[in-house]
Amino acid sequence: MVRPGKALAAPQLLLLVFLCLLAGGARASPPTDALRRVSPRAGAGGLCQQLLLPQGYPCTEHTVQTDDGFLLSLQHIPHGRNGIADNTGPPVFLQHGLFQLFWDWSWQDLAEYDVLAMLSYVYTVAQSKILYVGHSQGTIMGLAAFTMPETVKMISSAALLCPISYLDHVSASFVLRAVAMHLDEMLVIMGIHQLNFRSDMGVQILDSLCDDEHLDCNDLLSSITGQNCCFNSSRIDYYLEYEPHPSSTKNLRHLFQMIRKGSFAKYDYGWWGNLRRYGQLRPPSFDLSSIPESLPIWMGYGGLDALADVTDVERTIKELRSTPELLYIGGYGHIDFIMSVKAKEDVYVDLMRFLRAQQGMHSSY
């Protein structure tokens, strides 16, 4: 989870931050009005009440409806804990990674429907182009969404932490074990539509993946993400109060397809399913070269990351028409970019420099 108050402490840039955390039933039955503003005290489960207001951050809840009829929750943080409300800066949109979503869709649906709906809402309210910040799966969604003209026209710049579009060189032992066991296909055959590691079934799945012969899960986080140099392990109990949320089986299967095929493409429904949905036997690829050269992009990635491998990141960079600004930290892993005890100095100073530079160039409509 991105912690915006500390990561983005500049009041002008935090004028209109919509922290997108699609958790705890964010997709619900649509109401009569498609866009409605919700008081932060309305409802017991709002993330403003649970996480942000108790920490002293101003926060209001917003609800957005997608074109396919689902409701999404967004949290608006107008400024930092000690900041003063200001209306001069552009909005910053933060998009989280995996295990914040659930039910029957993949990151493709999130990129094509959810990101479009949320950005459209922010764009309309702020009357300003948006600075997009994503981590991990939030970068997959972002890069896919940026290939869509109707979405990328609302973006002034993008900052991508641990960027992923290809997963050919994933080295995380837990992930490779799950792929080798065809965990995604097993879940489909068993009729399990979401993977919840907190459930009895989830615990049984973990037990089957973690055995002394094939995989040591004593350090489960490292097994999933690779080593992290600077994660504060004493805070793990706090993080586990909120993470991980379930993720859909379809989303897991889509990610495993990327690993097996080495592609950055839409979900593969099989030949007949692809013909029905896409009009062709194979799923279409997302063309990174279609992202406008004029879109400024910043990327932060690490040498220890077992998910966003350096080789895959370099392939992504090569396929872009523009030349992104790069921050490479050889000793950083996948989680370090958002939870390192040194992230402010190592990552966010440069990230804020990029965002401030783009703030001066963003345009309103």
Side-chain angles (χ1 to χ4, degrees), residues 1 59 78 84 100 104 112 134 136 175 192 197 209 225 258 327:
M1 179 186 303
C59 182
I84 300 174
Q100 306 277 338
D104 185 26
E112 293 178 340
S136 190
V175 176
I192 299 173
F197 286 122
L209 290 170
T225 68
M258 296 169 66
L327 173 66

Side-chain angles (χ1 to χ4, degrees), residues 140 164-170 255 258-259 262-263 307-308 312:
I140 303 179
I164 296 174
S165 63
Y166 294 102
L167 290 167
D168 301 38
H169 296 85
V170 164
L255 293 169
M258 296 169 66
I259 295 172
S263 63
L307 296 176
D312 292 330

